Amino acid sequence: MLDTRIENIRKQVSQALMRNLPVERDDAWIEKLVDRPRFGWDWEALEKGFFQPLQKWSERHSAHLRPILASLLIDALGQSSARHANLLAALELQYLSSIMLDDLRNGRDLSEATSTFVTVPLPTWVTIAYNVRQLSPVMIARQSSELSATSHSWLVNRFSRLFQPGLSSALDLWGCEQESEHSSEAEFLEHLRLYVGGLFGLACDVASAVAERDERAANSLRTAGIELGVALRLSAMAQGSSRSLCARHAVSVEQLIRWQRGVDPARLLSLAQQTMDRALSMAHVAGPAATDAFRIFSSIFEYQACEEKQP
Amino acid sequence: MNQAMQYHDNFLADMPPALADEYRRWYPYCRQAVLATIDRIGTREFLEQALDQPLSEQRYQALRAAWFDPYRSYHTRSGKMLRPFLVCFCAQAFGRDPTTMPTIVAVAEIIHAASLILDDIADDSPLRRGGPTAHRLVGVRVAGAIASAWLNVCFELLGKENLGITPDATAILMEEIAWEHWVTGIGTTIDTTWPWLGHFDHRPEQYLQSVLHRSTSYTYRLPFKIGAIAAGANQQQFAQFAALGEELGLAFQIVDDILNLQPGDANWGKELAEDLTQGKITLQVLLTLERAPEYERTRLIEILKRRTDDPALLQEATAIMDRSGAFSAAREIAGHHVARTKEIAAAMDFLSETDREKLNGFIDYIVKRAR
């Protein structure tokens, strides 16, 4: 039963992504999200340099973990997630963008930075990653009319907070490159909250906006989501997976945590349990139904070492 | 170089005297507002609030080294501060005192400098404003991440601080900036994809469409929008400023492309013909391919594909374009957009005569400049 529910959400999100990301010329899409063309676009360049590589990337990464969390929460809070598939798609775009540059080396010039995973020239690929990230707040702004005005404006604001992902990626890469040690476990956990927790927090924001939760409940739910994201990664790391999460027959490629702290697997598991407990306790502020949704979500993960590389 | 002012004095030689005086008047304030805002963003207090978490000394110092210092160095090398100047101009035109909104004045320049880091990565440029580019300092991935953080830091500023503008204006401003960030990427897609596609049968109109959502955005449309929104412009006035920025941005980019190959002055601040070296398919390239005889078209494409910096070949390519009449045709197109810009300015009946003169002076400066 749960398997069917998860698969249905995945299908819903994949369909929403297909609706929202054209693979070929789509005048209505460009008019809605960009502008009415004044001179005329070169559609071939947009198709080959943006739409098609993104569609392929999206098809290769179809575990849709964050939309699943958002969907379970929306339903648990008494709303219908099916009515808000566009929000789930916008949420997934931020995830897709977060892993697009993960396999590039931090070279001092382009030739030192290339990766075999990238099938288009590096400047084009970097532009795609940029576009996907910056598209999601605009999608929320222009395609979520089903939300109340207050929730809509609040969610646009939450999706626009792209400062944190940029900063946390820079910090992760730099800390690793400088070979500096996290000075304490607490500091390492703060790094994880910022680097890998944020998009799980954003999934909770989507649910809070749909369910019109007040600021206090929304903040608690977001904190719970961040803790949940960290707990999942700690558990996976304890099993030897530093960049993947396995959930119901799907492997989700996650941002590689480069700036790590050497902690033994038993301690990682213990930290994961403590963090998960914190997540459940924070979720309870939004109501017992939210805690239930968190429990259901965390039950879909299979903790074994799963495929480390990009599929 | 005027060390105190961080711009070349000869850059003012192209401006009408009244506009140059206005620029000299606002430059120190703009520069101070930009640097003070950047420095405030770099404080532990600001970062902890924006990140919703405490920062240990180690993480804070890592952020300073990787994210703050390379970016700030772009601002301390040089910079004309044209964008903050335009925000001040708009504010004044509506009777607002720009000194009451320093953060708003700074935002356009902060965004612009972040976009330069991304441009430098895309072009793999080693130098910017006489110093090493960010990706040469901290690596391609770190530079991309810091640029993204600086581009989007405006949402932290606008969402949390009292900036001297109304909440409604703040909401509109955030939506406009989010849209400009997004469409700039779509325009850049054309710029980065064309050289890769390997064919040259694009149309001049398609180039203009990409410019409309690339250089036009951060150069003029966004600063004018920021100024108009912050100053309390009504919808029609806002639309006029946005349209004016768009037309002016188109004219600016066409002229900039021409100056890259045919600078009117020895003090042109960029590497000569670097667009050809990078194989860029600009308006004058496309106009040449429409007009030149076949053997010259073939030769131009051959040179572009070589990505050469050989001065003799660059000169040969420039001569082919010149013979085809592409430069004149491009100037004519720029002239059309200048005329349109002036029509829009003439219809801005809320401007004082003095402000309209300054605006027209600025329009003339953008297209008649030799550097």
Side-chain angles (χ1 to χ4, degrees):
Chain A
M1 176 118 173
L2 181 59
D3 275 357
T4 312
R5 192 173 171 192
I6 298 297
E7 272 321 300
N8 283 342
I9 298 171
R10 280 192 179 129
K11 248 183 240 165
Q12 207 175 74
V13 176
S14 295
Q15 284 165 0
L17 280 169
M18 286 189 59
R19 273 199 311 275
N20 282 286
L21 302 173
V23 286
E24 56 189 18
R25 179 170 184 157
D26 186 337
D27 294 295
W29 184 88
I30 208 97
E31 196 169 317
K32 186 162 195 178
L33 290 167
V34 181
D35 207 349
R36 181 173 295 174
R38 183 171 157 187
F39 301 98
W41 284 103
D42 178 355
W43 284 98
E44 183 203 9
L46 290 183
E47 287 164 8
K48 292 185 176 164
F50 181 42
F51 299 148
Q52 288 163 11
L54 174 58
Q55 193 73 47
K56 273 186 199 155
W57 188 254
S58 151
E59 283 164 9
R60 284 168 59 182
H61 297 279
S62 55
H64 302 328
L65 295 185
R66 290 127 188 107
I68 289 172
L69 173 62
S71 178
L72 291 171
L73 277 168
I74 290 169
D75 294 340
L77 296 175
Q79 306 294 317
S80 162
S81 59
R83 287 186 58 224
H84 300 282
N86 285 348
L87 301 183
L88 303 183
L91 175 64
E92 187 66 352
L93 287 183
Q94 291 218 3
Y95 156 74
L96 290 173
S97 168
S98 76
I99 54 168
M100 287 185 90
L101 305 180
D102 225 18
D103 289 293
L104 304 183
R105 287 187 300 276
N106 188 36
R108 261 52 181 175
D109 62 36
L110 290 187
S111 63
E112 269 185 38
T114 48
S115 157
T116 50
F117 283 104
V118 179
T119 52
V120 297
L122 200 54
T124 304
W125 188 248
V126 171
T127 306
I128 294 170
Y130 170 90
N131 287 345
V132 178
R133 190 175 52 240
Q134 302 294 157
L135 167 60
S136 63
V138 177
M139 265 176 71
I140 298 286
R142 298 195 172 195
Q143 294 191 327
S144 52
S145 52
E146 64 279 7
L147 294 176
S148 72
T150 311
S151 289
H152 178 254
S153 149
W154 182 82
L155 197 61
V156 170
N157 195 323
R158 294 306 311 172
F159 266 75
S160 300
R161 298 193 67 186
L162 294 164
F163 174 67
Q164 290 91 335
L167 211 61
S168 62
S169 292
L171 203 52
D172 188 69
L173 286 153
W174 191 252
C176 172
E177 191 167 295
Q178 300 301 303
E179 297 181 351
S180 63
E181 275 281 311
H182 286 286
S183 54
S184 65
E185 258 177 23
E187 188 187 79
F188 179 46
L189 287 177
E190 290 295 359
H191 176 56
L192 293 185
R193 285 186 184 106
L194 190 61
Y195 185 52
V196 303
L199 289 181
F200 288 94
L202 191 61
C204 296
D205 284 338
V206 170
S208 293
V210 172
E212 309 233 353
R213 285 297 189 258
D214 62 28
E215 193 70 29
R216 179 175 159 271
N219 287 341
S220 294
L221 201 55
R222 182 183 321 117
T223 307
I226 291 169
E227 295 294 307
L228 174 69
V230 172
L232 294 173
R233 293 303 299 275
L234 287 168
S235 300
M237 284 162 70
Q239 301 296 332
S241 297
S242 64
R243 70 177 309 181
S244 304
L245 290 171
C246 307
R248 297 281 158 152
H249 322 301
V251 176
S252 175
V253 173
E254 300 289 312
Q255 279 182 290
L256 176 62
I257 302 163
R258 290 177 171 81
W259 194 16
Q260 292 211 12
R261 178 181 167 85
V263 184
D264 69 70
R267 180 61 188 152
L268 281 171
L269 275 178
S270 154
L271 281 174
Q273 190 54 56
Q274 288 167 22
T275 313
M276 183 63 84
D277 290 346
R278 253 197 317 273
L280 294 173
S281 137
M282 292 302 290
H284 198 72
V285 177
T291 315
D292 289 344
F294 267 54
R295 285 191 200 284
I296 294 169
F297 182 70
S298 54
S299 75
I300 68 173
F301 290 89
E302 296 135 21
Y303 294 112
Q304 76 245 5
C306 51
E307 181 59 51
E308 280 291 287
K309 289 181 181 166
Q310 298 266 23
Chain B
M1 167 78 95
N2 182 330
Q3 287 302 326
M5 307 298 266
Q6 298 289 322
Y7 60 81
H8 284 277
D9 290 328
N10 55 20
F11 136 79
L12 294 181
D14 294 329
M15 282 190 187
L19 183 67
D21 286 346
E22 184 80 355
Y23 177 80
R24 280 193 199 93
R25 179 184 162 209
W26 284 110
Y27 180 89
Y29 168 68
C30 291
R31 184 167 166 72
Q32 191 269 337
V34 169
L35 290 178
T37 304
I38 291 170
D39 288 341
R40 188 159 51 83
I41 292 168
T43 60
R44 184 194 295 271
E45 187 189 359
F46 181 93
L47 289 170
E48 288 187 339
Q49 201 192 8
L51 300 176
D52 298 324
Q53 62 170 224
L55 281 173
S56 67
E57 184 59 19
Q58 184 187 15
R59 290 174 76 219
Y60 179 59
Q61 289 307 330
L63 281 177
R64 295 286 300 194
W67 167 75
F68 186 80
D69 294 341
Y71 173 80
R72 195 181 189 282
S73 74
Y74 272 46
H75 294 272
T76 51
R77 294 171 194 172
S78 67
K80 298 188 188 95
M81 298 283 160
L82 275 179
R83 291 147 194 89
F85 170 69
L86 292 176
V87 175
C88 291
F89 173 84
C90 284
Q92 273 199 310
F94 287 95
R96 287 288 310 263
D97 176 5
T99 62
T100 62
M101 46 173 104
T103 305
I104 298 288
V105 167
V107 160
E109 188 70 13
I110 289 173
I111 291 171
H112 167 64
S115 76
L116 293 181
I117 293 180
L118 296 176
D119 286 352
D120 290 339
I121 296 173
D123 295 340
D124 208 3
S125 305
L127 295 172
R128 168 70 67 177
R129 296 173 176 170
T133 47
H135 69 285
R136 289 284 195 272
L137 290 170
V138 293
V140 169
R141 283 215 54 207
V142 174
I146 67 174
S148 171
W150 281 106
L151 268 180
N152 289 295
V153 77
C154 52
F155 299 111
E156 303 301 321
L157 291 165
L158 297 172
K160 288 183 176 170
E161 301 190 5
N162 179 5
L163 303 173
I165 62 174
T166 65
D168 282 353
T170 303
I172 295 168
L173 194 49
M174 287 176 75
E175 206 167 316
E176 288 297 331
I177 293 174
W179 182 80
E180 293 285 0
H181 280 355
W182 148 240
V183 299
T184 301
I186 284 290
T188 304
T189 298
I190 303 294
D191 192 46
T192 58
T193 305
W194 272 1
W196 164 53
L197 290 178
H199 62 80
F200 289 78
D201 53 354
H202 315 290
R203 288 183 287 111
E205 298 79 34
Q206 293 172 332
Y207 177 77
L208 293 175
Q209 183 68 50
S210 76
V211 168
L212 197 61
H213 290 313
R214 184 166 48 88
S215 36
T216 295
S217 169
Y218 293 149
T219 311
Y220 297 111
R221 191 172 57 215
L222 182 59
F224 277 129
K225 280 183 176 179
I226 292 173
I229 293 168
N234 64 31
Q235 273 191 351
Q236 191 196 346
Q237 292 162 338
F238 169 78
Q240 285 174 305
F241 267 117
L244 185 133
E246 197 163 294
E247 296 296 337
L248 191 56
L250 284 162
F252 165 84
Q253 187 58 53
I254 296 167
V255 171
D256 208 55
D257 290 345
I258 295 170
L259 288 174
N260 188 273
L261 302 183
Q262 290 192 324
D265 188 289
N267 292 314
W268 169 245
K270 299 176 187 172
E271 205 170 318
L272 192 59
E274 62 180 356
D275 285 353
L276 292 179
T277 302
Q278 289 166 359
K280 289 201 172 170
I281 304 173
T282 56
L283 180 63
Q284 62 249 21
V285 167
L286 294 174
L287 290 170
T288 305
L289 297 175
E290 277 186 352
R291 289 148 197 262
E294 192 179 345
Y295 69 95
E296 292 215 313
R297 290 203 301 265
T298 308
R299 181 63 178 154
L300 177 61
I301 289 171
E302 196 181 300
I303 295 171
L304 280 169
K305 282 185 172 173
R306 278 196 200 180
R307 308 284 170 99
T308 177
D309 58 0
D310 178 342
L313 289 175
L314 297 177
Q315 207 173 11
E316 185 187 343
T318 306
I320 291 173
M321 292 188 205
D322 203 12
R323 276 196 298 278
S324 76
F327 290 122
S328 308
R331 279 197 191 90
E332 202 173 304
I333 294 171
H336 164 75
H337 292 293
V338 169
R340 182 77 195 108
T341 310
K342 290 199 168 175
E343 279 171 28
I344 296 167
M348 292 170 136
D349 53 11
F350 53 91
L351 290 180
S352 69
E353 270 315 301
T354 317
D355 284 339
R356 189 173 294 107
E357 267 175 41
K358 283 179 198 160
L359 189 55
N360 281 325
F362 186 75
I363 296 164
D364 287 335
Y365 154 71
I366 291 302
V367 289
K368 290 182 182 163
R369 71 205 160 100
R371 65 207 104 199

